[in-house]
Amino acid sequence: MAKHCRIVIGNSAVEQFRVLFLDQRHGLIADELQQTGTVNEVAAYPRQILQRALNLGAVGLVLVHNHPSGNLKPSAGDIEITREIQRAAEVLGVALHDHLIVGPGGHVSLRQMGKLGR
């Protein structure tokens, strides 16, 4: 999954925010671009993401965005929006499995870094 995301947006000159919508067996329902930003930021809107998840019948999400600079360290804003989406998703019965940050040279997983609750 991370390799696919690196291919899709890893070399983009601007930040992009994508969401992978998953079914009950963790199968991919859709991989959708949610927002395109600037060279160093992109907005994410929990309401928009979760509305789309419900419309698709998704029960799981993987958030993905890129850092064109190549510095894959999550910012405080990256961590906060991830937790905000996770809290909102839990209320609706949708699991946030991970948030990947990708770049030309690799990726990081906020779950593996211990930045996701539970």
Side-chain angles (χ1 to χ4, degrees), residues 2 7 17 21 26 28-29 31 35 41 44-45 59 66 75 82 93 101 107-108 116:
I7 291 168
F17 196 96
F21 297 95
H26 306 285
L28 183 64
I29 296 171
D31 170 2
Q35 299 292 327
E41 67 181 358
Y45 301 103
V59 297
N66 64 314
S75 69
T82 302
I101 300 174
H107 74 279
V108 296
L116 291 181

Side-chain angles (χ1 to χ4, degrees), residues 82-97:
T82 302
R83 290 181 178 161
E84 187 177 323
I85 293 167
Q86 185 176 34
R87 285 190 298 270
E90 284 177 355
V91 171
L92 298 173
V94 178
L96 176 60
H97 295 288

Side-chain angles (χ1 to χ4, degrees), residues 46-103:
R47 178 185 169 101
Q48 180 181 8
I49 292 166
L50 293 167
Q51 182 175 26
R52 184 65 177 142
L54 294 175
N55 288 342
L56 290 169
V59 297
L61 305 172
V62 175
L63 309 176
V64 184
H65 83 280
N66 64 314
H67 281 181
S69 69
N71 178 359
L72 300 179
K73 182 180 178 187
S75 69
D78 293 339
I79 294 166
E80 181 53 37
I81 194 62
T82 302
R83 290 181 178 161
E84 187 177 323
I85 293 167
Q86 185 176 34
R87 285 190 298 270
E90 284 177 355
V91 171
L92 298 173
V94 178
L96 176 60
H97 295 288
D98 208 343
H99 183 165
L100 302 174
I101 300 174
V102 300

